[in-house]
Amino acid sequence: MSFSSTSATIGLTLTLVINAVSAADQPDSWLSFRNGGSSAVAGNLPVNFSPTNGIQWQHETEGYGQSAPLIVNGNVVISSVIGDMKQTCALTAYDLTSGEMVWQCKTTASQLGPSNYMNARAAPTPVADDSGVYCFYESGMLLAADHKGTKLWERDLAKEMGEFKSNHGLGSSLAQSDKLLFMNLEHKGPSCLLAINKSDGKARWKTDRPQGSSWTTPVVMHEHSQVIVSSAGHLAGYSIDTGEEAWKVEGLEGNTVPSPSIMKDRVFVGARIPEFGAARDAAPSNRCVQVGPDSVETLWKAKNAVCDYASPVVAGDHAYFLNKVGVLTCVNADTGQEMYRERLRTECWATPIVAENGIHFFGKDGSVKTIATGSEFKVVSTSRLWPADQAPAPESYTETTGDQSHGHGASGHGASGHGATAEAGSGAHKAAEGKSTSGGRRGGMIAAMMRGDSNLDGILAADEISPDFRPMLARVDTNGDGSLDKEELEAMARSFAERRKNSRQSARDPIVYGVAAVPGTMVIRTGTRLYCISGTAGSDAEVSQ
């Protein structure tokens, strides 16, 4: 059985064209994380490639990066951090055709942290426009460079606003309008949604946000001139011009990592299983809402669909949600009716890309699976970046070892919480939640929580629990008294450590963090390597189950 790009529906083609143009106004460019929120390209992408056939070029990159690449002006642009303590923040451009370095712009990080799997490493994805490239680093550095690599301006937001307090570093990527950059700066200190002038780096407006841990990226809805944030248990829309909140949807859970997807005036919200929760807790938060100038309506809530790192995508009449273990759920985009739930059999930290010849899923392990769009599950092709038993180790990057305690500024890690996302931020997206505490840190986790015990009675009341853990209270409060005693805290810490006992190895490179695409070409990034797949991998491919 074969699948051809000519079988794509007219509705899918129109959807891709509309969103590619509205997101970037340049169909041959990929200018931001998930191409502005649609993660779609108006054309075919390569299929049926292998480590020895179809990869146009690949090479090691300097330093480490969990952000997604951009494609602009015929170049691939990535951000990275260099040095054992992430001393240098870099933007680097490579020729899309040859892979040769075209330019590089560097600046010095003002706050240091060990370059290892416990910390974000250039997790936020940059954005680009006709004037240049703009990038934020988890250390607090905000950098702008033109398309020749000349620095236009820079700001040290951590110095200006105070230390960013996060367990594993910030991972939320930039979003953009014509004149502004938008940053979701949610952490354990004073948090905000910040709008920055592209022209000079100065703040246009700042709107307070809840404290907590979040790696979701804002999206811009041009339809109503709003910037939309899904995080902290709610979805909210803000005026691009003033930052004033226009509307809010509350009662969500698990929406701290996957970012919302935009289709004209609709928002498709992704949410993962919350800590100590189950799929039934997260599914209703995976939903579709319709946005007006100052109002919002929930059109449907999912019954089974759950996201994880990868954000939802929409192709024609259907929306797709991929969970942590690779179960893909397809629903009707208008009604939320479930079409199928099937095992994709790959774990993805990067959001898939919708193209005219199918939806392309990028496995963390270097596998790339393409499925047909529509209401039936059909695998179009399975390709690989590297042999399954020969994963390429970093050639020059060495992970920092030794003391990893507190005191490393914005990039220091704590004893609890999720990991930073390079997709899901970066993008991630992505340092990942896989980069979390080991079983040996149970005591540290409890000690960190007990710092909130203001009356020193050895019991944590609801108002003594940090914002990160407060939503979990009902699921770990086994005696139902509205507080956490010593036994409940120890049981929570044991459960937390058990789920993360293999996190150290699962968070080692090579890991596919982020992707970018233009018609006929896609660029895939691991922490230390870039792959460019282009050209002939055909639009017709045999379906293999």
Side-chain angles (χ1 to χ4, degrees):
M1 184 176 182
S2 63
F3 174 83
S4 170
S5 62
T6 58
S7 67
T9 65
I10 294 176
L12 170 60
T13 303
L14 290 176
T15 298
L16 294 178
V17 172
I18 288 170
N19 282 283
V21 173
S22 64
D25 292 326
Q26 298 183 37
D28 290 329
S29 295
W30 188 279
L31 302 183
S32 61
F33 178 53
R34 301 183 305 129
N35 207 23
S38 66
S39 199
V41 62
N44 290 336
L45 291 180
V47 293
N48 284 339
F49 57 88
S50 71
T52 58
N53 180 32
I55 297 178
Q56 183 165 328
W57 55 262
Q58 61 168 301
H59 61 71
E60 185 90 345
T61 57
E62 186 178 11
Y64 201 99
Q66 294 160 309
S67 54
L70 307 179
I71 300 175
V72 56
N73 291 344
N75 291 332
V76 178
V77 181
I78 61 168
S79 63
S80 57
V81 287
I82 302 168
D84 60 346
M85 293 295 289
K86 304 191 294 183
Q87 298 95 320
T88 302
C89 302
L91 272 175
T92 309
Y94 302 87
D95 183 87
L96 179 61
T97 301
S98 68
E100 295 181 1
M101 184 186 293
V102 178
W103 55 259
Q104 188 173 64
C105 181
K106 294 181 177 179
T107 192
T108 301
S110 62
Q111 296 192 82
L112 306 181
S115 182
N116 60 28
Y117 84 106
M118 287 292 293
N119 295 287
R121 290 164 285 181
T125 296
V127 297
D129 62 12
D130 290 340
S131 300
V133 183
Y134 313 85
C135 189
F136 177 66
Y137 300 84
E138 61 273 3
S139 63
M141 298 304 296
L142 180 62
L143 172 68
D146 67 19
H147 289 296
K148 295 182 179 179
T150 302
K151 188 184 299 182
L152 299 174
W153 52 260
E154 70 176 14
R155 288 183 62 180
D156 183 351
L157 295 183
K159 182 178 180 180
E160 297 174 23
M161 302 173 64
E163 176 186 346
F164 295 119
K165 301 175 182 180
S166 180
N167 293 326
H168 300 278
L170 302 181
S172 179
S173 298
L174 295 175
Q176 66 176 336
S177 64
D178 291 344
K179 297 180 180 180
L180 296 174
L181 305 172
F182 304 103
M183 312 168 66
N184 183 36
L185 300 175
E186 288 184 37
H187 62 110
K188 297 179 186 300
S191 300
C192 66
L193 178 65
L194 185 64
I196 298 285
N197 290 326
K198 289 182 175 180
S199 58
D200 56 14
K202 295 181 180 180
R204 174 73 66 85
W205 50 257
K206 182 173 74 170
T207 298
D208 289 343
R209 291 281 304 166
Q211 294 183 15
S213 296
S214 177
W215 301 277
T216 67
T217 294
V219 290
V220 173
M221 178 174 281
H222 298 279
E223 195 84 8
H224 298 303
S225 297
Q226 294 178 1
V227 56
I228 295 172
V229 179
S230 175
S231 183
H234 63 261
L235 177 76
Y238 302 86
S239 165
I240 284 179
D241 296 325
T242 66
E244 182 180 356
E245 184 180 289
W247 52 264
K248 180 186 285 187
V249 176
E250 298 185 289
L252 305 182
E253 278 202 278
N255 66 328
T256 58
V257 173
S259 301
S261 295
I262 294 285
M263 288 293 160
K264 297 183 71 176
D265 62 349
R266 290 187 180 184
V267 182
F268 293 81
V269 182
R272 65 202 316 229
I273 297 175
E275 199 66 63
F276 306 104
R280 65 178 178 273
D281 301 312
S285 297
N286 291 267
R287 60 179 66 185
C288 175
V289 304
Q290 187 158 7
V291 176
D294 54 8
S295 63
V296 64
E297 177 188 2
T298 298
L299 298 183
W300 52 260
K301 301 176 184 179
K303 294 182 179 179
N304 298 302
V306 175
C307 286
D308 199 67
Y309 301 127
S311 301
V313 294
V314 181
D317 296 330
H318 299 94
Y320 301 81
F321 300 77
L322 183 68
N323 74 5
K324 186 175 183 178
V325 296
V327 174
L328 178 66
T329 303
C330 169
V331 303
N332 183 286
D334 292 323
T335 66
Q337 179 183 356
E338 187 173 302
M339 299 290 101
Y340 64 74
R341 295 180 74 211
E342 296 284 349
R343 290 193 174 274
L344 195 61
R345 303 189 184 282
T346 187
E347 181 182 359
C348 297
W349 286 7
T351 293
I353 293 178
V354 178
E356 291 184 4
N357 62 337
I359 306 174
H360 304 259
F361 292 83
F362 303 90
K364 170 190 167 189
D365 61 355
S367 63
V368 181
K369 290 193 174 184
T370 303
I371 69 162
T373 59
S375 59
E376 296 183 11
F377 180 72
K378 298 178 182 178
V379 177
V380 174
S381 71
T382 299
S383 305
R384 291 205 64 87
L385 297 174
W386 59 79
D389 58 350
Q390 297 178 30
E395 295 174 7
S396 57
Y397 171 79
T398 301
E399 184 174 89
T400 304
T401 57
D403 180 23
Q404 299 175 7
S405 60
H406 289 281
H408 294 298
S411 296
H413 73 275
S416 63
H418 311 284
T421 75
E423 198 323 296
S426 67
H429 304 334
K430 215 174 199 192
E433 184 195 67
K435 307 169 194 152
S436 294
T437 58
S438 63
R441 291 188 178 272
R442 287 202 303 269
M445 177 183 182
I446 295 174
M449 293 188 67
M450 290 306 295
R451 283 197 287 269
D453 182 16
S454 57
N455 60 7
L456 302 179
D457 65 351
I459 297 175
L460 290 179
D463 60 359
E464 294 176 322
I465 298 173
S466 70
D468 275 354
F469 281 87
R470 203 167 295 150
M472 310 169 197
L473 175 61
R475 292 189 286 272
V476 295
D477 176 21
T478 53
N479 62 14
D481 66 354
S483 62
L484 297 180
D485 57 28
K486 180 180 178 181
E487 291 184 0
E488 289 168 330
L489 284 167
E490 289 181 345
M492 180 180 70
R494 286 194 298 270
S495 174
F496 193 87
E498 176 64 23
R499 289 196 299 277
R500 286 159 176 77
K501 62 182 179 182
N502 296 320
S503 64
R504 181 182 294 268
Q505 189 56 42
S506 69
R508 291 307 203 280
D509 220 49
I511 294 170
V512 170
Y513 285 114
V515 294
V518 294
T521 300
M522 53 192 178
V523 179
I524 303 173
R525 184 188 194 175
T526 70
T528 60
R529 185 167 289 271
L530 277 176
Y531 296 83
C532 179
I533 300 94
S534 185
T536 59
S539 59
D540 293 324
E542 292 301 315
V543 173
S544 58
Q545 298 288 356

PDB file of all heavy atoms in Angstrom, residues 327-343:
ATOM      1  N   VAL A 327       2.273   6.726  22.962  1.00  0.00           N
ATOM      2  CA  VAL A 327       0.912   6.440  22.509  1.00  0.00           C
ATOM      3  C   VAL A 327       0.362   7.700  21.838  1.00  0.00           C
ATOM      4  O   VAL A 327       0.317   8.769  22.439  1.00  0.00           O
ATOM      5  CB  VAL A 327       0.004   6.012  23.667  1.00  0.00           C
ATOM      6  CG1 VAL A 327      -1.441   5.859  23.190  1.00  0.00           C
ATOM      7  CG2 VAL A 327       0.506   4.706  24.274  1.00  0.00           C
ATOM      8  N   LEU A 328      -0.048   7.554  20.583  1.00  0.00           N
ATOM      9  CA  LEU A 328      -0.553   8.661  19.789  1.00  0.00           C
ATOM     10  C   LEU A 328      -2.073   8.606  19.747  1.00  0.00           C
ATOM     11  O   LEU A 328      -2.662   7.583  19.399  1.00  0.00           O
ATOM     12  CB  LEU A 328       0.009   8.584  18.370  1.00  0.00           C
ATOM     13  CG  LEU A 328      -0.461   9.654  17.379  1.00  0.00           C
ATOM     14  CD1 LEU A 328       0.030  11.034  17.800  1.00  0.00           C
ATOM     15  CD2 LEU A 328       0.010   9.318  15.963  1.00  0.00           C
ATOM     16  N   THR A 329      -2.710   9.720  20.107  1.00  0.00           N
ATOM     17  CA  THR A 329      -4.165   9.820  20.052  1.00  0.00           C
ATOM     18  C   THR A 329      -4.550  10.843  19.001  1.00  0.00           C
ATOM     19  O   THR A 329      -4.059  11.976  19.016  1.00  0.00           O
ATOM     20  CB  THR A 329      -4.750  10.236  21.407  1.00  0.00           C
ATOM     21  OG1 THR A 329      -4.332   9.308  22.413  1.00  0.00           O
ATOM     22  CG2 THR A 329      -6.273  10.256  21.357  1.00  0.00           C
ATOM     23  N   CYS A 330      -5.422  10.438  18.084  1.00  0.00           N
ATOM     24  CA  CYS A 330      -5.939  11.309  17.037  1.00  0.00           C
ATOM     25  C   CYS A 330      -7.402  11.607  17.350  1.00  0.00           C
ATOM     26  O   CYS A 330      -8.184  10.683  17.606  1.00  0.00           O
ATOM     27  CB  CYS A 330      -5.804  10.648  15.670  1.00  0.00           C
ATOM     28  SG  CYS A 330      -6.671  11.484  14.326  1.00  0.00           S
ATOM     29  N   VAL A 331      -7.760  12.890  17.338  1.00  0.00           N
ATOM     30  CA  VAL A 331      -9.144  13.280  17.581  1.00  0.00           C
ATOM     31  C   VAL A 331      -9.617  14.209  16.467  1.00  0.00           C
ATOM     32  O   VAL A 331      -8.814  14.831  15.765  1.00  0.00           O
ATOM     33  CB  VAL A 331      -9.312  13.987  18.949  1.00  0.00           C
ATOM     34  CG1 VAL A 331      -8.821  13.104  20.086  1.00  0.00           C
ATOM     35  CG2 VAL A 331      -8.590  15.333  18.964  1.00  0.00           C
ATOM     36  N   ASN A 332     -10.939  14.283  16.305  1.00  0.00           N
ATOM     37  CA  ASN A 332     -11.520  15.248  15.391  1.00  0.00           C
ATOM     38  C   ASN A 332     -11.253  16.653  15.929  1.00  0.00           C
ATOM     39  O   ASN A 332     -11.572  16.950  17.074  1.00  0.00           O
ATOM     40  CB  ASN A 332     -13.018  15.002  15.250  1.00  0.00           C
ATOM     41  CG  ASN A 332     -13.666  15.942  14.256  1.00  0.00           C
ATOM     42  OD1 ASN A 332     -13.857  17.116  14.545  1.00  0.00           O
ATOM     43  ND2 ASN A 332     -14.027  15.411  13.098  1.00  0.00           N
ATOM     44  N   ALA A 333     -10.664  17.521  15.117  1.00  0.00           N
ATOM     45  CA  ALA A 333     -10.265  18.844  15.589  1.00  0.00           C
ATOM     46  C   ALA A 333     -11.460  19.719  15.938  1.00  0.00           C
ATOM     47  O   ALA A 333     -11.339  20.652  16.740  1.00  0.00           O
ATOM     48  CB  ALA A 333      -9.399  19.530  14.548  1.00  0.00           C
ATOM     49  N   ASP A 334     -12.618  19.440  15.368  1.00  0.00           N
ATOM     50  CA  ASP A 334     -13.805  20.255  15.635  1.00  0.00           C
ATOM     51  C   ASP A 334     -14.593  19.787  16.851  1.00  0.00           C
ATOM     52  O   ASP A 334     -15.190  20.599  17.564  1.00  0.00           O
ATOM     53  CB  ASP A 334     -14.732  20.247  14.417  1.00  0.00           C
ATOM     54  CG  ASP A 334     -14.129  20.970  13.226  1.00  0.00           C
ATOM     55  OD1 ASP A 334     -13.452  21.996  13.432  1.00  0.00           O
ATOM     56  OD2 ASP A 334     -14.330  20.513  12.092  1.00  0.00           O
ATOM     57  N   THR A 335     -14.590  18.476  17.092  1.00  0.00           N
ATOM     58  CA  THR A 335     -15.455  17.927  18.132  1.00  0.00           C
ATOM     59  C   THR A 335     -14.712  17.261  19.284  1.00  0.00           C
ATOM     60  O   THR A 335     -15.300  17.037  20.346  1.00  0.00           O
ATOM     61  CB  THR A 335     -16.414  16.887  17.527  1.00  0.00           C
ATOM     62  OG1 THR A 335     -15.649  15.749  17.068  1.00  0.00           O
ATOM     63  CG2 THR A 335     -17.195  17.487  16.364  1.00  0.00           C
ATOM     64  N   GLY A 336     -13.441  16.892  19.069  1.00  0.00           N
ATOM     65  CA  GLY A 336     -12.691  16.154  20.073  1.00  0.00           C
ATOM     66  C   GLY A 336     -12.975  14.663  20.067  1.00  0.00           C
ATOM     67  O   GLY A 336     -12.410  13.917  20.883  1.00  0.00           O
ATOM     68  N   GLN A 337     -13.839  14.188  19.156  1.00  0.00           N
ATOM     69  CA  GLN A 337     -14.132  12.755  19.095  1.00  0.00           C
ATOM     70  C   GLN A 337     -12.865  11.969  18.752  1.00  0.00           C
ATOM     71  O   GLN A 337     -12.136  12.311  17.822  1.00  0.00           O
ATOM     72  CB  GLN A 337     -15.196  12.473  18.038  1.00  0.00           C
ATOM     73  CG  GLN A 337     -15.547  10.988  17.906  1.00  0.00           C
ATOM     74  CD  GLN A 337     -16.551  10.733  16.792  1.00  0.00           C
ATOM     75  OE1 GLN A 337     -17.048  11.667  16.167  1.00  0.00           O
ATOM     76  NE2 GLN A 337     -16.850   9.474  16.546  1.00  0.00           N
ATOM     77  N   GLU A 338     -12.614  10.919  19.509  1.00  0.00           N
ATOM     78  CA  GLU A 338     -11.410  10.121  19.303  1.00  0.00           C
ATOM     79  C   GLU A 338     -11.525   9.270  18.040  1.00  0.00           C
ATOM     80  O   GLU A 338     -12.496   8.548  17.859  1.00  0.00           O
ATOM     81  CB  GLU A 338     -11.172   9.225  20.515  1.00  0.00           C
ATOM     82  CG  GLU A 338      -9.855   8.472  20.468  1.00  0.00           C
ATOM     83  CD  GLU A 338      -9.570   7.733  21.754  1.00  0.00           C
ATOM     84  OE1 GLU A 338      -9.523   8.395  22.827  1.00  0.00           O
ATOM     85  OE2 GLU A 338      -9.418   6.502  21.696  1.00  0.00           O
ATOM     86  N   MET A 339     -10.506   9.379  17.186  1.00  0.00           N
ATOM     87  CA  MET A 339     -10.440   8.587  15.960  1.00  0.00           C
ATOM     88  C   MET A 339      -9.652   7.302  16.183  1.00  0.00           C
ATOM     89  O   MET A 339     -10.034   6.245  15.716  1.00  0.00           O
ATOM     90  CB  MET A 339      -9.794   9.402  14.839  1.00  0.00           C
ATOM     91  CG  MET A 339     -10.537  10.685  14.468  1.00  0.00           C
ATOM     92  SD  MET A 339     -12.126  10.374  13.636  1.00  0.00           S
ATOM     93  CE  MET A 339     -13.296  10.630  14.983  1.00  0.00           C
ATOM     94  N   TYR A 340      -8.525   7.425  16.896  1.00  0.00           N
ATOM     95  CA  TYR A 340      -7.750   6.223  17.232  1.00  0.00           C
ATOM     96  C   TYR A 340      -6.752   6.545  18.339  1.00  0.00           C
ATOM     97  O   TYR A 340      -6.422   7.700  18.591  1.00  0.00           O
ATOM     98  CB  TYR A 340      -7.029   5.646  16.017  1.00  0.00           C
ATOM     99  CG  TYR A 340      -5.968   6.519  15.385  1.00  0.00           C
ATOM    100  CD1 TYR A 340      -4.724   6.711  15.996  1.00  0.00           C
ATOM    101  CD2 TYR A 340      -6.182   7.127  14.145  1.00  0.00           C
ATOM    102  CE1 TYR A 340      -3.740   7.484  15.404  1.00  0.00           C
ATOM    103  CE2 TYR A 340      -5.198   7.903  13.552  1.00  0.00           C
ATOM    104  CZ  TYR A 340      -3.979   8.077  14.187  1.00  0.00           C
ATOM    105  OH  TYR A 340      -3.008   8.855  13.599  1.00  0.00           O
ATOM    106  N   ARG A 341      -6.301   5.486  18.992  1.00  0.00           N
ATOM    107  CA  ARG A 341      -5.154   5.526  19.916  1.00  0.00           C
ATOM    108  C   ARG A 341      -4.256   4.371  19.529  1.00  0.00           C
ATOM    109  O   ARG A 341      -4.673   3.215  19.561  1.00  0.00           O
ATOM    110  CB  ARG A 341      -5.586   5.394  21.375  1.00  0.00           C
ATOM    111  CG  ARG A 341      -6.420   6.541  21.895  1.00  0.00           C
ATOM    112  CD  ARG A 341      -6.788   6.315  23.357  1.00  0.00           C
ATOM    113  NE  ARG A 341      -5.648   6.546  24.225  1.00  0.00           N
ATOM    114  CZ  ARG A 341      -5.430   5.924  25.383  1.00  0.00           C
ATOM    115  NH1 ARG A 341      -6.265   4.974  25.781  1.00  0.00           N
ATOM    116  NH2 ARG A 341      -4.396   6.212  26.125  1.00  0.00           N
ATOM    117  N   GLU A 342      -3.030   4.681  19.136  1.00  0.00           N
ATOM    118  CA  GLU A 342      -2.103   3.660  18.668  1.00  0.00           C
ATOM    119  C   GLU A 342      -0.711   3.922  19.242  1.00  0.00           C
ATOM    120  O   GLU A 342      -0.334   5.070  19.494  1.00  0.00           O
ATOM    121  CB  GLU A 342      -2.019   3.665  17.133  1.00  0.00           C
ATOM    122  CG  GLU A 342      -3.311   3.291  16.433  1.00  0.00           C
ATOM    123  CD  GLU A 342      -3.597   1.792  16.481  1.00  0.00           C
ATOM    124  OE1 GLU A 342      -2.684   1.034  16.878  1.00  0.00           O
ATOM    125  OE2 GLU A 342      -4.729   1.409  16.121  1.00  0.00           O
ATOM    126  N   ARG A 343       0.051   2.846  19.381  1.00  0.00           N
ATOM    127  CA  ARG A 343       1.429   2.980  19.852  1.00  0.00           C
ATOM    128  C   ARG A 343       2.341   3.358  18.691  1.00  0.00           C
ATOM    129  O   ARG A 343       2.466   2.609  17.727  1.00  0.00           O
ATOM    130  CB  ARG A 343       1.906   1.679  20.503  1.00  0.00           C
ATOM    131  CG  ARG A 343       1.213   1.397  21.827  1.00  0.00           C
ATOM    132  CD  ARG A 343       1.919   0.299  22.602  1.00  0.00           C
ATOM    133  NE  ARG A 343       1.333   0.129  23.921  1.00  0.00           N
ATOM    134  CZ  ARG A 343       1.679   0.842  24.998  1.00  0.00           C
ATOM    135  NH1 ARG A 343       2.622   1.761  24.884  1.00  0.00           N
ATOM    136  NH2 ARG A 343       1.102   0.638  26.163  1.00  0.00           N
TER     137      ARG A 343
END
